[in-house]
């Protein structure tokens, strides 16, 4: 809000220091109404501070006539494209995350609240979670995506995905622990299983993760052990489709597979994982013993309840109008990986960071346009229809290892060192915070020159010597 000292949200029936985190849930939900509404401002609730939600809130920052409430269950924005580098000990978690509040120091009309939002009551005009209800005039739902195990959620404990910092550090723990277990193991078969790594899913995340594991096994770890040879680690990449990187041109998919195989990765396409447990995986009729299995196969929209229910696609994404609004609810928008929108070329809106940022900007523009339309109506001037979302394809890229990558943008295709440098520059550019950019650049330069990784920490509570 525009006042120097922001006032707290208050329940409908009483005034007090009520907030999302300061209220104790009771049997009856507590409805919060922001005092800025009494000043004639529109309350915009943004759920999720990923690429889409953060961009929407930034675009609405310091805009006249709106009060923005940005709600997220974590206090940091995460740069997900580099999560695999945390998982493979290349970067520290703090290198790819930034506090959400730090992004809005100068945006006096944006409030950040830490808390989980379970859903939205579309008829009542409020979001809810933890016994608290927050009213809105406009709502932007941008809660992102989570992994899909295709009906086999029981696999998750044995094959963690890679969507959060917690998952990345868990994969790092399992990856580094595997080498330590192998060093302590006397049984050759158990040692072999400890040094077998299976990555399920041949999209960009799976390709990058498999390539990084093979790279560190053969360069970073190779001189650190005495009883085992880390370069003999077996890395399998399993993909159910006929080729890797299905969204890329075939020539780039073939190049990525060739680069992976040169790094020592065993690539299996047209292969379906039938079973995963604590001892390994079953691919078709073949049983592979492996203590480390990582999931990068499928995604679905994050869980978010809409009352009444809304139409979703097979991946749980919400079907939206061309302007990204919810059918029948012009004041509710869905952005980023949560949105299911068919583009003019017949393809679906991709789950990429540039697409998410563009949807966030569009939602903010539609909200501000609505507010301007209100003034036009008051002056009896003709209103303008909402503009449809226009996705600008910035291309795709994936890194396979040191100096190895593939990239495509428009008709331009790149491979090798040139693609890797382009990948590096783009990711540095989109990282939030100058400090993070410098830290990541220094770490990458050090790793490139000396084949070292400085984040090799096993964060297990207790380590017991085997044998």
């Amino acid at each position: 809000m525009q006042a120097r000292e922001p006032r707290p949200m208050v329940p409908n029936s009483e005034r007090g220091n009520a907030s999302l985190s300061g209220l104790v849930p009771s049997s009856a939900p507590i409805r919060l109404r922001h005092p800025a509404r009494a000043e004639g401002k529109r309350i915009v609730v943004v759920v999720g501070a990923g690429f889409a939600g953060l961009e929407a809130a930034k675009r609405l920052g310091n805009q006249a006539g709106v009060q923005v409430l940005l709600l997220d269950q974590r206090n940091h924005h995460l740069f997900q494209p580099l999560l695999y580098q945390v998982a493979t000990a290349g970067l520290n978690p703090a290198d790819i995350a930034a506090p959400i509040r730090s992004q809005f120091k100068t945006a006096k009309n944006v409030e950040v609240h830490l808390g989980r939002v379970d859903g939205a009551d579309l008829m009542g005009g409020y979001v809810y979670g933890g016994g608290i209800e927050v009213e809105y005039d406009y709502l932007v739902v941008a809660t992102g995506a989570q992994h899909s195990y295709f009906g086999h959620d029981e696999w998750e404990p044995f094959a963690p995905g890679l969507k959060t910092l917690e998952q990345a550090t868990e994969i790092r723990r399992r990856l580094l622990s595997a080498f330590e277990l192998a060093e302590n193991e006397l049984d050759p078969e158990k040692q072999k299983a400890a040094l077998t790594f299976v990555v399920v899913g041949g999209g960009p995340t799976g390709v990058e993760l498999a390539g990084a594991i093979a790279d560190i096994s053969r360069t970073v770890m190779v001189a650190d052990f005495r009883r085992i040879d880390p370069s003999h680690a077996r890395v399998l990449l399993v993909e159910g489709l006929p080729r890797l990187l299905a969204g890329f041109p075939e020539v780039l998919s073939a190049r990525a597979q060739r680069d992976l195989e040169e790094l020592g990765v065993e690539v299996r396409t047209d292969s379906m994982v039938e079973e995963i447990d604590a001892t390994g995986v079953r691919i078709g009729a073949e049983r592979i013993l492996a203590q480390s299995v990582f999931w990068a196969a499928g995604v679905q929209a994050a869980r978010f309840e809409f009352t009444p229910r809304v139409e979703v696609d097979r991946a749980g994404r919400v079907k939206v109008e061309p302007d990204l609004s919810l059918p029948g609810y012009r004041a509710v928008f869905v952005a980023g990986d949560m949105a299911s929108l068919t583009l003019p070329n017949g393809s679906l809106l991709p789950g990429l960071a540039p697409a998410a940022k563009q949807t966030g900007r569009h939602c903010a523009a539609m909200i501000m346009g609505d507010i301007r339309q209100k003034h036009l109506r008051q002056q009896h001037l003709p209103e303008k229809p909402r503009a449809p979302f226009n996705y600008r394809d910035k291309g795709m890229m994936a890194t396979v290892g040191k100096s190895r990558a593939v990239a495509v943008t428009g008709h331009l295709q790149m491979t090798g060192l040139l693609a890797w440098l382009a990948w590096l520059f783009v990711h540095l550019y989109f990282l939030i915070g100058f400090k993070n950019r410098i830290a990541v650049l220094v770490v990458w330069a050090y790793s490139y020159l000396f084949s070292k990784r400085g984040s090799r920490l096993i964060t297990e509570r207790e380590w017991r010597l085997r044998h």
Side-chain angles (χ1 to χ4, degrees):
M1 63 186 68
Q2 301 300 318
R4 289 185 179 179
E5 297 183 1
R7 289 172 288 171
M9 291 182 289
V10 297
N12 280 351
S13 58
E14 60 183 88
R15 298 191 66 86
N17 291 325
S19 68
L20 285 177
S21 58
L23 287 174
V24 178
S26 61
S27 56
I30 298 175
R31 181 79 59 85
L32 299 180
R33 172 174 291 177
H34 201 285
R37 184 176 261 178
E39 302 172 2
K41 294 183 179 180
R42 298 302 181 100
I43 307 302
V44 182
V45 172
V46 180
V47 183
F51 288 110
L54 196 71
E55 191 70 19
K58 284 184 174 180
R59 293 289 170 145
L60 294 169
N62 291 325
Q63 294 288 339
V66 296
Q67 175 67 44
V68 182
L69 307 180
L70 179 56
L71 316 179
D72 198 284
Q73 61 183 344
R74 290 181 172 85
N75 77 330
H76 58 268
H77 169 77
L78 177 63
F79 191 75
Q80 284 191 350
L82 290 181
L83 263 180
Y84 86 95
Q85 294 236 340
V86 174
T88 54
L91 295 173
N92 286 307
D95 293 335
I96 64 168
I100 299 170
R101 294 184 183 278
S102 67
Q103 306 304 305
F104 299 98
K105 290 181 179 179
T106 60
K108 302 303 182 182
N109 68 325
V110 179
E111 294 180 13
V112 178
H113 292 277
L114 180 65
R116 178 179 177 84
V117 179
D118 296 320
D121 187 309
L122 301 173
M123 301 297 291
Y126 60 85
V127 296
Y128 56 85
I132 299 172
E133 301 171 348
V134 180
E135 293 183 347
Y136 65 80
D137 294 304
Y138 290 95
L139 172 63
V140 179
V141 180
T143 50
Q146 62 187 21
H147 279 291
S148 170
Y149 288 84
F150 307 112
H152 292 281
D153 291 343
E154 70 275 10
W155 293 351
E156 185 172 7
F158 312 115
L162 192 55
K163 286 292 183 184
T164 67
L165 281 178
E166 291 82 2
Q167 291 171 333
T169 53
E170 173 61 16
I171 290 177
R172 182 183 68 184
R173 184 190 69 80
R174 296 189 186 196
L175 173 63
L176 298 178
S177 295
F179 292 99
E180 301 294 342
L181 287 169
E183 180 80 352
N184 293 345
E185 185 58 66
L186 300 179
D187 187 324
E189 291 302 315
K190 291 183 179 179
Q191 190 180 83
K192 181 179 178 181
L195 290 176
T196 299
F197 305 91
V198 179
V199 178
V200 184
T205 299
V207 166
E208 291 174 339
L209 185 59
I213 294 173
D215 187 41
I216 66 173
S217 299
R218 288 151 178 76
T219 58
V220 178
M221 300 283 202
V222 68
D224 290 358
F225 294 87
R226 299 297 175 263
R227 296 184 57 222
I228 63 170
D229 184 354
S231 66
H232 290 166
R234 184 185 184 191
V235 184
L236 284 84
L237 178 59
V238 185
E239 169 57 47
L241 296 176
R243 62 186 178 94
L244 303 177
L245 302 175
F248 286 67
E250 288 192 27
V251 63
L252 296 186
S253 296
R255 174 60 183 266
Q257 180 167 340
R258 185 165 68 251
D259 285 346
L260 284 170
E261 290 171 343
E262 289 177 359
L263 285 172
V265 178
E266 183 180 334
V267 178
R268 303 254 188 118
T269 55
D270 276 322
S271 301
M272 299 297 294
V273 173
E274 305 291 344
E275 183 183 6
I276 303 176
D277 58 27
T279 60
V281 302
R282 181 165 59 86
I283 304 172
E286 182 184 2
R287 177 73 181 172
I288 297 175
L289 298 180
Q291 292 188 7
S292 300
V293 182
F294 307 126
W295 188 264
V299 295
Q300 62 185 4
R303 293 184 178 90
F304 191 87
E305 300 174 356
F306 287 97
T307 306
R309 291 186 178 182
V310 299
E311 187 178 3
V312 298
D313 63 13
R314 294 177 59 185
R317 294 171 296 195
V318 179
K319 294 187 177 181
V320 296
E321 299 285 4
D323 63 355
L324 301 179
S325 67
L326 198 59
Y329 301 93
R330 285 176 55 84
V332 179
F333 297 86
V334 182
D337 293 344
M338 279 286 290
S340 177
L341 177 67
T342 301
L343 301 175
N345 62 4
S347 64
L348 283 175
L349 180 70
L352 301 173
K357 292 168 73 72
Q358 290 176 42
T359 60
R361 288 196 291 267
H362 186 82
C363 292
M366 294 302 97
I367 291 171
M368 293 310 302
D370 265 14
I371 293 174
R372 285 191 289 269
Q373 297 283 21
K374 178 183 176 182
H375 296 295
L376 291 176
R377 288 194 297 269
Q378 291 174 347
Q379 299 173 30
H380 304 289
L381 296 174
E383 298 182 19
K384 297 180 181 179
R386 283 183 176 177
F389 173 69
N390 180 29
Y391 173 57
R392 296 188 344 188
D393 189 356
K394 299 294 185 66
M396 298 179 292
M397 51 181 55
T399 179
V400 181
K402 184 189 296 184
S403 302
R404 302 170 186 259
V406 292
V408 55
T409 174
H411 297 293
L412 176 64
Q413 298 180 10
M414 294 181 287
T415 60
L417 179 61
L418 181 61
W420 184 78
L421 291 172
W423 175 91
L424 185 148
F425 172 78
V426 168
H427 284 70
L428 282 177
Y429 176 80
F430 281 108
L431 261 177
I432 290 182
F434 179 77
K435 175 180 175 293
N436 283 6
R437 294 190 185 106
I438 295 300
V440 170
L441 180 60
V442 170
V443 169
W444 280 348
Y446 177 79
S447 299
Y448 182 83
L449 293 174
F450 302 105
S451 294
K452 300 291 184 180
R453 297 203 173 211
S455 302
R456 290 163 52 185
L457 303 179
I458 299 176
T459 54
E460 190 174 23
R461 184 174 300 174
E462 179 182 0
W463 183 268
R464 295 180 180 178
L465 185 66
R466 275 74 170 177
H467 302 291

